Amino acid sequence: MTTTSAAPVPWGGDRWRGETAWPGRTSGAYDLAVLLEEGMTQHAAHPPYSYRLVKKHGEHNYPKGISAAMELMSMPGHCGTHVDSLGHISVDGCTAGGREIESRQSETGGVAVGSVEELPPLVGPGHLVDGEVLFGREMTHRDSFGAGELEAWFAGRPAPGPGSIVLFRTGLMKHWRDPERYLGTGVGVPGVSLSGARWLSERGVRAVGGDTASFEHKPEWTVPALDVHVHLLVEAAIPIMESVYLERLAADGVHDGFFFVAAPLRIKGGTGSPIRPLAFVPA
């Protein structure tokens, strides 16, 4: 297969060498993560999140009246607000940079190439594309963020460039606690189309994210939609964040001028990782 990306350089446990325009004074930060909790909405392709408080206060006491509580959590790498690593998707047995992966994976070791440990810090100038503002109504499964829509949105707005983080709001996060509606079960979901993904990669963005569980446009529920994942993860080596909470950011009209910060957990062989992204706004 052919790809347009170079093989990423692992940096876990070391120093990342990259450039970003760090902000000056900030007036605060927006929390862009959903709550991880038992029974939470999840994509059907992944096992459920579970939580147990396995040691409770008062059950085992230390001297001087001290007690401690501890939990046990079980979760897929792709749950809640999370990032897809480059090893999440392969084409003809290869991940980003044309690296063969089928012989380099194991049940306990995960993927030896393209794991979340390779991902750079997800930091940079942030841009929010608000679909409900762009379309002037609620988005449906027929709507997408293509190259034309992005040209229209960024006309007169600061455009993303190398190192930018671009986020997409469809408005479906309003239905987070209604799993079937949020996931578009039996219908489909709005999202970024292949032309939109190419528009983003041509501008050298560092990462992208959206408020849906599958990021890309899926106009038909019964038809697989992975072309955007293939282009961004395999061909362009651009990580994808999903189920990003963008409601408060959008409600305050913060479409640009913020600084985005997130990083995955350092999971050996991880194909994805929960994250807690933050949007810092200038003072």
Side-chain angles (χ1 to χ4, degrees):
M1 66 170 295
T2 60
T3 66
T4 59
S5 63
V9 178
W11 76 282
D14 200 348
R15 173 191 169 200
W16 175 68
R17 292 165 175 80
E19 294 184 3
T20 188
W22 288 94
R25 290 187 60 193
T26 60
S27 62
Y30 289 82
D31 188 350
L32 306 183
V34 297
L35 182 68
L36 294 175
E37 59 182 332
E38 187 89 10
M40 64 185 285
T41 297
Q42 285 187 226
H43 195 287
H46 305 286
Y49 169 92
S50 67
Y51 177 100
R52 295 293 180 272
L53 193 63
V54 295
K55 291 191 177 181
K56 300 177 182 178
H57 289 291
E59 291 182 345
H60 178 78
N61 294 316
Y62 295 93
K64 301 180 181 179
I66 300 170
S67 68
M70 293 167 237
E71 62 272 284
L72 174 66
M73 294 177 288
S74 173
M75 69 182 81
H78 303 261
C79 74
T81 304
H82 65 276
V83 62
D84 292 349
S85 78
L86 305 186
H88 179 46
I89 297 291
S90 68
V91 176
D92 296 329
C94 294
T95 61
R99 297 178 297 171
E100 192 276 328
I101 194 171
E102 291 183 1
S103 67
R104 305 171 76 181
Q105 58 185 337
S106 69
E107 184 174 348
T108 58
V111 294
V113 294
S115 78
V116 290
E117 191 178 20
E118 291 182 356
L119 293 182
L122 307 177
V123 295
H127 304 264
L128 171 62
V129 182
D130 190 334
E132 291 191 347
V133 174
L134 176 63
F135 286 88
R137 54 171 172 78
E138 289 191 351
M139 294 184 71
T140 76
H141 65 290
R142 297 297 182 191
D143 298 320
S144 69
F145 299 103
E149 285 76 18
L150 294 181
E151 287 288 351
W153 176 263
F154 286 108
R157 289 186 173 92
S164 291
I165 311 291
V166 185
L167 308 173
F168 293 86
R169 176 179 179 262
T170 66
L172 280 178
M173 186 57 73
K174 293 181 294 186
H175 310 295
W176 172 250
R177 296 193 178 277
D178 181 351
E180 288 200 357
R181 187 166 182 184
Y182 173 74
L183 297 171
T185 305
V187 180
V189 291
V192 174
S193 69
L194 184 56
S195 71
R198 287 172 172 160
W199 189 96
L200 294 162
S201 65
E202 287 168 1
R203 284 153 182 78
V205 302
R206 178 163 289 149
V208 297
D211 62 355
T212 67
S214 50
F215 184 73
E216 67 184 272
H217 187 208
K218 185 179 175 68
E220 303 291 342
W221 179 254
T222 57
V223 180
L226 284 170
D227 288 349
V228 169
H229 276 67
V230 167
H231 176 69
L232 293 174
L233 297 177
V234 181
E235 298 174 351
I238 296 172
I240 297 170
M241 295 171 284
E242 293 168 321
S243 296
V244 183
Y245 183 76
L246 301 170
E247 292 307 290
R248 183 62 189 274
L249 203 64
D252 289 350
V254 182
H255 296 135
D256 50 60
F258 61 93
F259 190 79
F260 183 93
V261 176
L265 299 174
R266 193 181 174 197
I267 302 171
K268 177 179 172 62
T271 67
S273 168
I275 56 175
R276 189 168 189 178
L278 301 171
F280 290 89
V281 293

